[in-house]
Amino acid sequence: MGSSCGRVCWKWGSPLRRLPGFSRLLSTAALAPQICVVGSGPAGFYTAQHLLKHHRLARVDIYEKLPVPFGLVRFGVAPDHPEVKNVINTFTQTAHSDRCAYYGNVTIGKDVMVKELQRAYHAVVLKTDITEGSLAAIACSKVKRVWLVGRRGPLQVAFTIKELREMINLPGTRPLLDPADFTGLGDVIKDIPRPRKRLTELMIKSAREKPGEKEAALWASATKEWGLKFQRSPLEVLPATDGKQARGIRMAVTRLEGSGESARAVPTGEVEELECGLILSSIGYRSLPLDSSIPFDPKLGIIPNSLGRVQGAPGLYCSGWVKRGPTGVIITTMNDSFDTAQSVLEDLQTGVLNLSNSKEGFKSVRSILHSRGVHPVTFSDWEKIDAAEVARGKLAGKPREKIVDPQEMLQLISH
């Protein structure tokens, strides 16, 4: 959003100042753009701030699905980082501008549609690049309850405390956590790493403690629910009588062998059924071997390696999940990739990689691809697709409208 906002502001700001009689032109009502910003987090307020600063007549309305503004600055910044929260003071000054208005508790796509915003404003700025089809599907969704099912227990969950907070504070929903799932964990979590401890404490609090008056009121009026089911392993999908839709899922009740991250879920022999009409599989990721010439550990789903150096294959390196398994977040992957790159640099410096032999690189690969009728997509090809997505997004009043059909992408770059 930042880069696109920069371009819009530059067009509205700098070029106009070069026109003769600019001050006189700005006094006309016709040049007062009406702009709305969807979302009141940092991106939304910074966008509004920049627009107001660089166009003296622009009017900006900020829409937010929550009643309260400031997004993650309000909900995601820890109390021990007050200097970060100070940015709220700047956002408050923006909101106090006589050319800015804030409208909370308005869900775009449900309460008001994007096309309706487009008819009302000269410009609409979104915090999302969700496709129109997905947006329409979400707006029409009749889902009332969602169960998140895991084979192991609370101490092995893979979500973060930030994600849990967002779920707990999700407007119009209430969490369903069974206090019995957390029995005996109070003493166990004393010696576990702090991030896992804080996450588990929040789950325990949400499950056991009576909600505050405000929270209780919100949950009482909630129309949707979500809950966690631990130590359940999927066995089979149960079909409806028509044989075309699901009516539920049969699950094995499990027990844990071991403790902590290494605990394994073992079936107890007990089985139960959960009634549901939609089932989404999200059971993890496992790398697959590329070909038989590359060492591969099928049990761990990784390429055996040492600091990214593939064992028994000089000059071959790996990085990411195929190197360490499907764990961690983006920053983990970044650091992991840096480590692998450092291994390559060291091998170049020490002569492990022989540079005396000439290599043709893509020239050689290109001839192979050509002989097999394969046409690679270059970065300039991607830029054509990118431009098309941005152009479509502009028509829809958002940063981009993603193209999801690979054949359509290829058709775009073939012209």
Side-chain angles (χ1 to χ4, degrees), residues 39-180:
S40 68
F45 265 99
Y46 278 131
T47 299
Q49 176 185 322
H50 200 80
L51 291 170
L52 294 170
K53 179 180 179 180
H54 292 282
H55 197 298
R56 293 193 291 110
L57 293 180
R59 300 190 63 87
V60 181
D61 292 339
I62 301 175
Y63 291 89
E64 167 62 52
K65 67 179 181 179
L66 297 177
V68 296
F70 307 136
L72 287 179
V73 176
R74 176 182 172 93
F75 295 109
V77 178
D80 57 349
H81 289 77
E83 71 284 354
V84 178
K85 286 183 176 288
N86 282 341
V87 75
I88 287 180
N89 297 331
T90 302
F91 295 161
T92 300
Q93 292 178 11
T94 300
H96 284 167
S97 168
D98 58 4
R99 293 185 288 121
C100 181
Y102 168 81
Y103 301 100
N105 199 36
V106 178
T107 300
I108 306 304
K110 177 184 176 183
D111 298 331
V112 60
M113 305 305 291
V114 172
K115 289 184 178 180
E116 293 173 321
L117 290 178
Q118 288 179 270
R119 289 195 290 266
Y121 291 90
H122 294 104
V124 178
V125 183
L126 303 176
K127 295 183 75 194
T128 177
D129 59 1
I130 187 172
T131 61
E132 288 294 305
S134 300
L135 192 63
I138 292 173
C140 298
S141 173
K142 294 181 175 62
V143 174
K144 297 298 182 183
R145 178 181 293 169
V146 176
W147 287 107
L148 304 177
V149 182
R151 292 172 296 173
R152 300 192 291 172
L155 293 178
Q156 290 80 36
V157 296
F159 52 76
T160 65
I161 191 170
K162 173 185 171 184
E163 292 167 333
L164 179 61
R165 282 200 192 103
E166 289 178 347
M167 290 293 290
I168 292 173
N169 295 319
L170 199 61
T173 68
R174 60 174 166 264
L176 301 173
L177 279 72
D178 187 350

Side-chain angles (χ1 to χ4, degrees), residues 189-262:
I189 63 175
K190 292 180 180 179
D191 300 321
I192 63 177
R194 186 170 181 267
R196 171 71 66 181
K197 179 180 179 181
R198 292 176 61 235
L199 172 60
T200 308
E201 287 174 339
L202 181 56
M203 285 191 286
I204 294 175
K205 178 181 178 181
S206 301
R208 292 182 174 176
E209 293 187 9
K210 184 178 180 180
E213 183 177 343
K214 183 177 180 181
E215 194 175 50
L218 291 174
W219 288 358
S221 62
T223 59
K224 299 180 181 180
E225 300 173 322
W226 66 271
L228 301 174
K229 281 190 178 294
F230 297 107
Q231 294 183 227
R232 301 292 187 273
S233 183
L235 292 176
E236 63 175 316
V237 174
L238 304 175
T241 53
D242 61 6
K244 297 180 180 179
Q245 295 179 313
R247 67 171 177 85
I249 185 169
R250 181 172 289 122
M251 304 179 296
V253 179
T254 66
R255 60 181 174 83
L256 297 183
E257 287 187 353
S259 61
E261 301 288 347
S262 60

Side-chain angles (χ1 to χ4, degrees), residues 284-323:
Y285 168 92
R286 180 177 291 271
S287 299
L288 298 174
L290 292 175
D291 60 52
S292 58
S293 66
I294 301 176
F296 189 77
D297 185 330
K299 184 177 181 180
L300 297 178
I302 65 171
I303 294 175
N305 69 92
S306 176
L307 297 177
R309 298 179 177 93
V310 176
Q311 294 179 5
L316 192 60
Y317 304 82
C318 62
S319 184
W321 284 1
V322 78
K323 173 185 175 184

